[in-house]
Amino acid sequence: MKKEEDNKMSFSKKLGLFLLTAWVLCLAGTTAWALWRERKMMPEVETGYPQAGTIVYNCQVEAEVLSKEEASLMVPHTFHLHSRLFQEGTDLGIGTVTSYEMGGDGHYMKIRLKEDGTAGEMLPVEINYVHDYDQVVDNKHIHLNSMGMSSVFVVEEEAGAWGKEYRLREKDVICFPVDISTEQVAILDELEQPIVLKSSKELKGGMKVKLAGKFEK
């Protein structure tokens, strides 16, 4: 009788161990499948650093005629144009710069008109700007975030339940030109980490991604 009870207990233990093992294996399999599916659905991105390049930019501003011979012009700092464009003696098409001053919100200058003007008249001034920059990317790598700021995507490494994971973060940047109207755009902020230059899917901040390649700076 005792032997029969021992056999029943041994069988119960074996059955319990079997069921526990089966549950663990099933859980592991389900987890592995979920992780595989999650990774399969992740966007694949390539990261890299912008390269040096030249930006050619044309913009139009308006000068106000002060007298038949003189006009004033203010170009906002938000255009990120270099002051060398507006020094005395510079030909701006409608006339020549006779005085220049850097103000808190822009470049201020007086212009001697080539043709007589009418006080209060607004004259279009086209500015052609060519400049070399250290960080230039195609404009498709710049997007506007929810606040309307120019941003790029960077990839941050973090510890996950099953090892390293990579997550996207939006980084605000100052660009030239600010309206991102040229095919290539200069990033004026110094970047300390690579940005996303290619993706297999549309991206959003906070998404997990897998890396297709990294390029050294």
Side-chain angles (χ1 to χ4, degrees):
M1 186 71 177
K2 187 174 184 309
K3 185 176 181 181
E4 185 177 342
E5 289 179 356
D6 289 343
N7 288 337
K8 287 183 179 180
M9 289 182 64
S10 178
F11 175 77
S12 296
K13 288 181 179 179
K14 289 180 179 179
L15 180 60
L17 182 60
F18 171 78
L19 293 175
L20 177 61
T21 302
W23 179 82
V24 170
L25 290 175
C26 182
L27 179 62
T30 302
T31 303
W33 181 83
L35 290 172
W36 174 84
R37 180 174 175 78
E38 179 186 41
R39 182 167 177 77
K40 183 177 177 62
M41 299 297 291
M42 283 182 191
E44 187 173 65
V45 301
E46 291 184 9
T47 61
Y49 285 95
Q51 302 298 309
T54 302
I55 299 296
V56 178
Y57 178 60
N58 300 315
C59 65
Q60 194 170 87
V61 291
E62 288 189 326
E64 181 180 2
V65 177
L66 303 176
S67 67
K68 70 176 184 178
E69 297 179 348
E70 188 178 52
S72 66
L73 175 66
M74 192 277 278
V75 178
H77 286 315
T78 52
F79 279 49
H80 298 293
L81 296 177
H82 200 282
S83 61
R84 66 178 173 80
L85 291 174
F86 311 117
Q87 298 304 306
E88 292 182 21
T90 300
D91 187 343
L92 293 179
I94 64 170
T96 304
V97 177
T98 57
S99 68
Y100 168 81
E101 182 179 350
M102 174 82 77
D105 53 358
H107 307 275
Y108 290 84
M109 65 208 82
K110 295 290 179 60
I111 302 169
R112 182 186 299 112
L113 297 173
K114 293 179 180 179
E115 299 180 1
D116 291 351
T118 303
E121 181 184 4
M122 303 303 291
L123 300 177
V125 178
E126 185 173 327
I127 298 174
N128 300 307
Y129 183 63
V130 180
H131 193 66
D132 294 331
Y133 292 92
D134 293 332
Q135 300 180 128
V136 174
V137 297
D138 292 341
N139 63 10
K140 63 184 179 182
H141 302 313
I142 309 293
H143 66 276
L144 298 180
N145 62 20
S146 58
M147 302 296 292
M149 300 287 291
S150 296
S151 300
V152 294
F153 284 116
V154 297
V155 179
E156 293 190 337
E157 182 181 297
E158 57 185 37
W162 300 91
K164 294 180 181 178
E165 293 181 347
Y166 300 95
R167 193 178 295 275
L168 289 179
R169 181 173 67 84
E170 287 183 305
K171 176 178 175 60
D172 294 345
V173 291
I174 299 174
C175 296
F176 177 82
V178 290
D179 58 3
I180 319 177
S181 59
T182 51
E183 289 187 8
Q184 290 194 309
V185 176
I187 296 177
L188 305 183
D189 302 280
E190 181 66 28
L191 296 174
E192 298 180 352
Q193 56 192 135
I195 66 173
V196 174
L197 296 177
K198 189 176 181 181
S199 172
S200 61
K201 297 180 181 180
E202 185 177 349
L203 302 177
K204 293 182 180 179
M207 293 178 69
K208 289 183 181 180
V209 296
K210 51 187 176 183
L211 299 183
K214 279 186 176 181
F215 306 97
E216 296 299 325
K217 186 173 182 179

